CSV table of all heavy atoms in Angstrom, one decimal:
chain,number,residue,atom,x,y,z
A,1,SER,N,-211.6,-45.8,-1.2
A,1,SER,CA,-212.8,-45.0,-1.4
A,1,SER,C,-213.9,-45.8,-2.0
A,1,SER,O,-215.0,-45.7,-1.5
A,1,SER,CB,-212.4,-43.9,-2.4
A,1,SER,OG,-212.0,-44.5,-3.7
A,2,ILE,N,-213.6,-46.8,-2.9
A,2,ILE,CA,-214.7,-47.6,-3.5
A,2,ILE,C,-215.3,-48.6,-2.5
A,2,ILE,O,-216.5,-48.8,-2.4
A,2,ILE,CB,-214.1,-48.3,-4.7
A,2,ILE,CG1,-213.7,-47.3,-5.8
A,2,ILE,CG2,-215.2,-49.3,-5.3
A,2,ILE,CD1,-213.0,-47.9,-7.0
A,3,CYS,N,-214.4,-49.2,-1.7
A,3,CYS,CA,-214.9,-50.3,-0.8
A,3,CYS,C,-215.2,-49.8,0.6
A,3,CYS,O,-216.1,-50.4,1.2
A,3,CYS,CB,-213.8,-51.4,-0.7
A,3,CYS,SG,-213.3,-52.2,-2.3
A,4,PHE,N,-214.6,-48.8,1.1
A,4,PHE,CA,-214.7,-48.4,2.5
A,4,PHE,C,-215.1,-46.9,2.6
A,4,PHE,O,-215.2,-46.5,3.8
A,4,PHE,CB,-213.4,-48.7,3.2
A,4,PHE,CG,-212.9,-50.1,3.1
A,4,PHE,CD1,-211.7,-50.4,2.4
A,4,PHE,CD2,-213.8,-51.2,3.5
A,4,PHE,CE1,-211.3,-51.7,2.2
A,4,PHE,CE2,-213.3,-52.5,3.3
A,4,PHE,CZ,-212.1,-52.8,2.7
A,5,ASN,N,-215.5,-46.3,1.6
A,5,ASN,CA,-216.0,-44.9,1.6
A,5,ASN,C,-215.1,-43.9,2.3
A,5,ASN,O,-215.5,-42.9,2.9
A,5,ASN,CB,-217.4,-44.9,2.4
A,5,ASN,CG,-218.3,-43.8,1.8
A,5,ASN,OD1,-218.3,-43.6,0.6
A,5,ASN,ND2,-219.0,-43.1,2.6
A,6,VAL,N,-213.8,-44.2,2.1
A,6,VAL,CA,-212.8,-43.3,2.6
A,6,VAL,C,-212.5,-42.1,1.6
A,6,VAL,O,-212.3,-42.4,0.4
A,6,VAL,CB,-211.4,-44.0,2.9
A,6,VAL,CG1,-210.3,-43.1,3.3
A,6,VAL,CG2,-211.6,-45.1,3.9
A,7,PRO,N,-212.5,-40.9,2.1
A,7,PRO,CA,-212.3,-39.8,1.2
A,7,PRO,C,-210.9,-39.6,0.7
A,7,PRO,O,-210.2,-38.6,1.1
A,7,PRO,CB,-212.9,-38.6,1.9
A,7,PRO,CG,-212.6,-38.9,3.4
A,7,PRO,CD,-212.8,-40.4,3.4
A,8,ALA,N,-210.3,-40.5,-0.1
A,8,ALA,CA,-209.0,-40.4,-0.5
A,8,ALA,C,-209.0,-40.3,-2.1
A,8,ALA,O,-209.5,-41.1,-2.8
A,8,ALA,CB,-208.3,-41.8,-0.2
A,9,PRO,N,-208.5,-39.1,-2.6
A,9,PRO,CA,-208.6,-38.9,-4.0
A,9,PRO,C,-207.6,-39.7,-4.8
A,9,PRO,O,-206.4,-40.0,-4.4
A,9,PRO,CB,-208.2,-37.4,-4.1
A,9,PRO,CG,-207.4,-37.1,-2.9
A,9,PRO,CD,-207.9,-38.0,-1.8
A,10,VAL,N,-208.0,-40.2,-5.9
A,10,VAL,CA,-207.1,-41.0,-6.8
A,10,VAL,C,-206.5,-40.0,-7.8
A,10,VAL,O,-207.1,-39.1,-8.2
A,10,VAL,CB,-207.8,-42.2,-7.6
A,10,VAL,CG1,-208.4,-43.1,-6.6
A,10,VAL,CG2,-208.9,-41.6,-8.5
A,11,VAL,N,-205.3,-40.3,-8.2
A,11,VAL,CA,-204.6,-39.6,-9.3
A,11,VAL,C,-204.0,-40.6,-10.3
A,11,VAL,O,-203.0,-41.2,-10.0
A,11,VAL,CB,-203.5,-38.6,-8.7
A,11,VAL,CG1,-202.7,-38.0,-9.8
A,11,VAL,CG2,-204.1,-37.6,-7.9
A,12,ASP,N,-204.7,-40.8,-11.4
A,12,ASP,CA,-204.1,-41.6,-12.5
A,12,ASP,C,-204.1,-40.8,-13.7
A,12,ASP,O,-204.3,-39.6,-13.7
A,12,ASP,CB,-205.0,-42.9,-12.6
A,12,ASP,CG,-206.3,-42.7,-13.3
A,12,ASP,OD1,-206.8,-41.5,-13.4
A,12,ASP,OD2,-206.9,-43.6,-13.8
A,13,GLY,N,-203.8,-41.4,-14.9
A,13,GLY,CA,-203.6,-40.7,-16.1
A,13,GLY,C,-204.9,-40.0,-16.5
A,13,GLY,O,-204.8,-38.9,-17.0
A,14,ASN,N,-206.1,-40.6,-16.3
A,14,ASN,CA,-207.3,-39.9,-16.7
A,14,ASN,C,-207.6,-38.8,-15.8
A,14,ASN,O,-208.0,-37.7,-16.3
A,14,ASN,CB,-208.5,-40.9,-16.6
A,14,ASN,CG,-208.5,-41.9,-17.7
A,14,ASN,OD1,-208.3,-41.6,-18.8
A,14,ASN,ND2,-208.7,-43.2,-17.4
A,15,VAL,N,-207.4,-38.9,-14.5
A,15,VAL,CA,-207.6,-37.8,-13.6
A,15,VAL,C,-206.7,-36.6,-13.9
A,15,VAL,O,-207.1,-35.4,-13.9
A,15,VAL,CB,-207.5,-38.3,-12.1
A,15,VAL,CG1,-207.6,-37.1,-11.1
A,15,VAL,CG2,-208.5,-39.4,-11.8
A,16,ILE,N,-205.4,-36.9,-14.1
A,16,ILE,CA,-204.5,-35.9,-14.4
A,16,ILE,C,-204.9,-35.2,-15.7
A,16,ILE,O,-204.8,-33.9,-15.7
A,16,ILE,CB,-203.1,-36.5,-14.6
A,16,ILE,CG1,-202.5,-37.0,-13.3
A,16,ILE,CG2,-202.1,-35.6,-15.4
A,16,ILE,CD1,-201.2,-37.9,-13.5
A,17,ARG,N,-205.3,-35.8,-16.7
A,17,ARG,CA,-205.7,-35.2,-18.0
A,17,ARG,C,-206.9,-34.2,-17.7
A,17,ARG,O,-206.9,-33.1,-18.2
A,17,ARG,CB,-206.0,-36.3,-19.0
A,17,ARG,CG,-206.2,-35.6,-20.4
A,17,ARG,CD,-206.2,-36.7,-21.5
A,17,ARG,NE,-207.1,-37.8,-21.3
A,17,ARG,CZ,-206.8,-39.0,-20.8
A,17,ARG,NH1,-205.5,-39.3,-20.6
A,17,ARG,NH2,-207.7,-39.9,-20.6
A,18,VAL,N,-207.9,-34.7,-17.0
A,18,VAL,CA,-209.1,-33.8,-16.8
A,18,VAL,C,-208.7,-32.5,-16.0
A,18,VAL,O,-209.1,-31.5,-16.5
A,18,VAL,CB,-210.1,-34.6,-15.9
A,18,VAL,CG1,-211.2,-33.7,-15.4
A,18,VAL,CG2,-210.7,-35.8,-16.7
A,19,PHE,N,-207.9,-32.7,-15.0
A,19,PHE,CA,-207.7,-31.5,-14.2
A,19,PHE,C,-206.5,-30.7,-14.6
A,19,PHE,O,-206.4,-29.5,-14.4
A,19,PHE,CB,-207.6,-31.8,-12.7
A,19,PHE,CG,-209.0,-32.2,-12.2
A,19,PHE,CD1,-209.3,-33.5,-11.9
A,19,PHE,CD2,-209.9,-31.2,-12.0
A,19,PHE,CE1,-210.5,-33.8,-11.4
A,19,PHE,CE2,-211.2,-31.5,-11.6
A,19,PHE,CZ,-211.5,-32.8,-11.3
A,20,ALA,N,-205.5,-31.3,-15.3
A,20,ALA,CA,-204.5,-30.5,-16.0
A,20,ALA,C,-205.1,-29.5,-17.0
A,20,ALA,O,-204.7,-28.4,-17.1
A,20,ALA,CB,-203.5,-31.4,-16.6
A,21,ARG,N,-206.1,-30.0,-17.7
A,21,ARG,CA,-206.8,-29.1,-18.6
A,21,ARG,C,-207.8,-28.1,-17.9
A,21,ARG,O,-207.8,-26.9,-18.2
A,21,ARG,CB,-207.6,-30.0,-19.6
A,21,ARG,CG,-206.8,-30.7,-20.6
A,21,ARG,CD,-207.6,-31.7,-21.4
A,21,ARG,NE,-206.8,-32.3,-22.5
A,21,ARG,CZ,-207.2,-33.4,-23.2
A,21,ARG,NH1,-208.3,-33.9,-23.0
A,21,ARG,NH2,-206.3,-33.8,-24.1
A,22,CYS,N,-208.5,-28.6,-16.9
A,22,CYS,CA,-209.4,-27.7,-16.3
A,22,CYS,C,-208.6,-26.5,-15.6
A,22,CYS,O,-209.1,-25.4,-15.6
A,22,CYS,CB,-210.2,-28.4,-15.2
A,22,CYS,SG,-211.7,-29.2,-15.8
A,23,LEU,N,-207.6,-26.9,-14.9
A,23,LEU,CA,-206.8,-25.9,-14.2
A,23,LEU,C,-205.6,-25.3,-15.0
A,23,LEU,O,-205.0,-24.3,-14.5
A,23,LEU,CB,-206.2,-26.5,-12.9
A,23,LEU,CG,-207.3,-27.2,-12.0
A,23,LEU,CD1,-206.6,-28.1,-10.9
A,23,LEU,CD2,-208.1,-26.1,-11.3
A,24,ALA,N,-205.4,-25.8,-16.2
A,24,ALA,CA,-204.3,-25.3,-17.0
A,24,ALA,C,-202.9,-25.4,-16.2
A,24,ALA,O,-202.1,-24.4,-16.2
A,24,ALA,CB,-204.6,-24.0,-17.6
A,25,TRP,N,-202.7,-26.5,-15.5
A,25,TRP,CA,-201.5,-26.6,-14.8
A,25,TRP,C,-200.4,-27.2,-15.7
A,25,TRP,O,-200.6,-28.3,-16.3
A,25,TRP,CB,-201.7,-27.6,-13.6
A,25,TRP,CG,-202.3,-26.9,-12.4
A,25,TRP,CD1,-202.8,-25.6,-12.3
A,25,TRP,CD2,-202.7,-27.6,-11.2
A,25,TRP,NE1,-203.3,-25.4,-11.1
A,25,TRP,CE2,-203.3,-26.6,-10.4
A,25,TRP,CE3,-202.5,-28.9,-10.7
A,25,TRP,CZ2,-203.8,-26.8,-9.1
A,25,TRP,CZ3,-203.0,-29.1,-9.4
A,25,TRP,CH2,-203.6,-28.1,-8.6
A,26,PRO,N,-199.2,-26.6,-15.8
A,26,PRO,CA,-198.2,-27.0,-16.7
A,26,PRO,C,-197.2,-28.0,-16.1
A,26,PRO,O,-196.1,-28.3,-16.6
A,26,PRO,CB,-197.5,-25.7,-17.1
A,26,PRO,CG,-197.5,-25.0,-15.8
A,26,PRO,CD,-198.9,-25.2,-15.2
A,27,ASP,N,-197.6,-28.6,-14.9
A,27,ASP,CA,-196.7,-29.5,-14.2
A,27,ASP,C,-196.4,-30.8,-14.9
A,27,ASP,O,-197.2,-31.2,-15.8
A,27,ASP,CB,-197.3,-29.9,-12.8
A,27,ASP,CG,-197.7,-28.6,-12.0
A,27,ASP,OD1,-198.6,-27.9,-12.5
A,27,ASP,OD2,-197.1,-28.4,-10.9
A,28,ASN,N,-195.2,-31.4,-14.6
A,28,ASN,CA,-194.9,-32.7,-15.1
A,28,ASN,C,-195.4,-33.7,-14.1
A,28,ASN,O,-194.9,-33.9,-13.1
A,28,ASN,CB,-193.4,-32.8,-15.2
A,28,ASN,CG,-193.0,-34.3,-15.6
A,28,ASN,OD1,-193.8,-35.1,-15.9
A,28,ASN,ND2,-191.7,-34.5,-15.5
A,29,PHE,N,-196.6,-34.3,-14.4
A,29,PHE,CA,-197.3,-35.1,-13.5
A,29,PHE,C,-196.7,-36.5,-13.4
A,29,PHE,O,-197.2,-37.4,-12.7
A,29,PHE,CB,-198.7,-35.3,-13.8
A,29,PHE,CG,-199.6,-34.0,-13.5
A,29,PHE,CD1,-199.8,-33.0,-14.4
A,29,PHE,CD2,-200.0,-33.7,-12.2
A,29,PHE,CE1,-200.4,-31.8,-14.1
A,29,PHE,CE2,-200.6,-32.6,-11.9
A,29,PHE,CZ,-200.9,-31.6,-12.8
A,30,LYS,N,-195.6,-36.7,-14.1
A,30,LYS,CA,-194.8,-38.0,-13.8
A,30,LYS,C,-194.0,-37.9,-12.5
A,30,LYS,O,-193.5,-38.9,-12.1
A,30,LYS,CB,-194.0,-38.4,-15.0
A,30,LYS,CG,-194.7,-38.7,-16.3
A,30,LYS,CD,-193.8,-39.2,-17.4
A,30,LYS,CE,-194.7,-39.5,-18.6
A,30,LYS,NZ,-195.5,-40.7,-18.4
């Protein structure tokens, strides 16, 4: 995505925290 503008979403610890809270998803993201 950063180098070649490919629309591929990243999922790391920061991304998980943002959207686990936004969506209130109780999943185990590990």
Side-chain angles (χ1 to χ4, degrees):
S1 63
I2 294 170
C3 299
F4 308 116
N5 214 39
V6 176
V10 301
V11 173
D12 74 342
N14 286 319
V15 175
I16 287 169
R17 188 165 55 256
V18 168
F19 288 107
R21 287 171 174 170
C22 274
L23 303 169
W25 282 359
D27 305 63
N28 175 9
F29 285 97
K30 292 187 180 294

